[in-house]
Amino acid sequence: MQLYTMSEAEKDFLKSYDITRYDRPSVAADIAVFSIMARGGLTGIEQVQDKENYRKAPERKLKVLLIRRATWPYKGCWALPGGFCRKNEDICETARRELYEETHVENAYLNLCGIYGEAGRDPRGWIISHTFLALLDGEKCRLRAGSDAWEARWFDVSFSREEIKKQVEEDGALLENKYFLTLESSDIFATNLSDRREEDTVRLSTVVREQKEFKGYHETVQYEILENDGLAFDHAKIITCAMLFLRRQAETDGKVVFDLMPPEFTWAQLQSAFEIILDKKLLTPNFRRRMADYVRETGQMISGAGHRPAKLFQRNVNAFYGA
Amino acid sequence: MQLYTMSEAEKDFLKSYDITRYDRPSVAADIAVFSIMARGGLTGIEQVQDKENYRKAPERKLKVLLIRRATWPYKGCWALPGGFCRKNEDICETARRELYEETHVENAYLNLCGIYGEAGRDPRGWIISHTFLALLDGEKCRLRAGSDAWEARWFDVSFSREEIKKQVEEDGALLENKYFLTLESSDIFATNLSDRREEDTVRLSTVVREQKEFKGYHETVQYEILENDGLAFDHAKIITCAMLFLRRQAETDGKVVFDLMPPEFTWAQLQSAFEIILDKKLLTPNFRRRMADYVRETGQMISGAGHRPAKLFQRNVNAFYGA
DNA sequence: AAAATAGTGTCTGTCAGACAGTATATC
DNA sequence: GATATACTGTCTGACAGACACTATTTT
């Protein structure tokens, strides 16, 4: 290896180099933490013993974690957990640190899924946000509101799309979609507030427009917030994009979905996780065939439900390599 | 739409908020610009009239654009083109601006492919680099060495992998690879130097180790430079990762490869572009079947080669939508 | 037995891999 | 005709989509 050695001239240059002369942004990491939970935070293994409907499996929902900001700007608004990158810290470490502070989860799936640096996105000044997608087993997680938050809560995610333009020409095309994102708080939360409000249902809804332009044979995509009710900064856009990122990941490389599962799970739970993310029904035999290599029988079974008991599976680690 | 309105207290807070109290990094964009060209910068349509080998198609190679740094640090070393993000500029705009300055190309494929913010990666201080992958038709491009560079050149890319560890256990695995990257300058370049050297062949070679760890059912990947001869900063790592990113893109979504092609091309040229990137031979009938929808006949043909003439195709824009 | 979910078998069409074969330009 | 590349047809096996079917628990 040829080492790079500094000349005296270079050392002098560096000594007089003043990085603070230049405009610099603040750099932050925001995290879209998703999990799948049944009402009440159950993952679905424990059946809800509802007399009226003892046979029905509990409904499992996709959740995203939001905190209620205790400081300006957007004090009192809901936002993604996140924080500033510290010196000598990699931006991924920032994300991992913030994730731990908020959830006490150490080894979750965590992946960069976007960068937002538009001028004016934060009233405090020039702040570039690196957005991470985190996936975790909701059961493993103990929520904690950070020092800059009043509370932290899981929100049920409803997500839908509406095509509003499809203009195809000889040499290009323009596609426009509207994404409707509705977040509704459940009763699971951690709070720093002593004066808990009576009404504990929070409902946030946003509309984000996607403009895909095909020109010169590659696409450019832009997102713009059309409506936003209660979400801080440009987080409506960030959550929408994270949701699209998650969906694309689940379509192409189903492996990520396992990060939302508990260590042991049934086929039905795994399939429902896919169905929730992709927002469509899958055919059971085909789904099991496709995923067969990724799971391994544990020998254990579920019991207590009003029907044939299901086998419990775990991940087959060996199948997760090779890509 | 519920607009967010600022209270007086919030306005006061923002007035007294001093962003400069906090540690902030400089933010830069570096661009790995790839193209495919035949020796001498031909794209392959014009046949090299070599008497000895008049029938042979000219060899087409994958190239990456490097500049020779005219300023410290790493003065005289080769580096990716790039520059600092300016205030009120999105990081993507930075990349596009730098790409234009260096190549005069305006509408190229440009996509974020990595972030490097490790402490100590730049002797000037805390500098976070956002790396972009750019793909362009080498013919369209007029190289220009920027103000901070002595020259800009295309380098032939040789890239190979060696597996050095594969340790698979019940609950996880550790995979290690070595990537050998060799860059060799061709004679195409733009220079700001008056004293051109006699010897104009430059050869840079680097070795980067990849450590993939599978634990808790998701992978973490780390890259480390083992050997580096002549490349500035951590650009050996960045180019290696960009190369892997390009390869993965070409495997999954072959569309990106079209960005390396001229407006009109033959099947053979398109196939060779894939083969160069993936570093493996493809079977012609299968390849054409898979790509059939993406191309459209122009009615024109190549002539002058010592064999049956090939049809010229262009992109079928309509096939590039829907994903 | 009824309800509800668990789990399996199989037909079909599509598509990728492999290979054999035909076509047409220049020298 | 030799050479080199262009282009096409078809067999095969893998696999995804669709659907019909059997199995087993609790009340």
Side-chain angles (χ1 to χ4, degrees), chain B residues 55-56 268 285 289 307-311:
Chain B
R55 291 177 200 269
K56 287 262 200 279
R289 227 178 355 195
H307 50 78
R308 174 171 171 179
K311 291 179 188 167

Side-chain angles (χ1 to χ4, degrees), chain A residues 9 71 130 207 263 266 287 293 298:
Chain A
T71 57
H130 296 71
V207 183
T266 65
F287 175 75
D293 287 346
T298 61

Side-chain angles (χ1 to χ4, degrees), chain A residues 74-87:
Chain A
Y74 292 99
K75 194 187 210 170
C77 286
W78 293 90
L80 292 171
F84 288 101
C85 186
R86 296 176 184 164
K87 203 162 181 172

Side-chain angles (χ1 to χ4, degrees), chain A residues 30 49 78 107 174 193 232 237 241 253 260 288:
Chain A
D30 290 309
Q49 294 302 330
W78 293 90
N107 285 313
L174 191 64
L193 279 180
K237 179 155 86 171
C241 292
D253 178 10
L260 294 163
R288 295 189 184 186

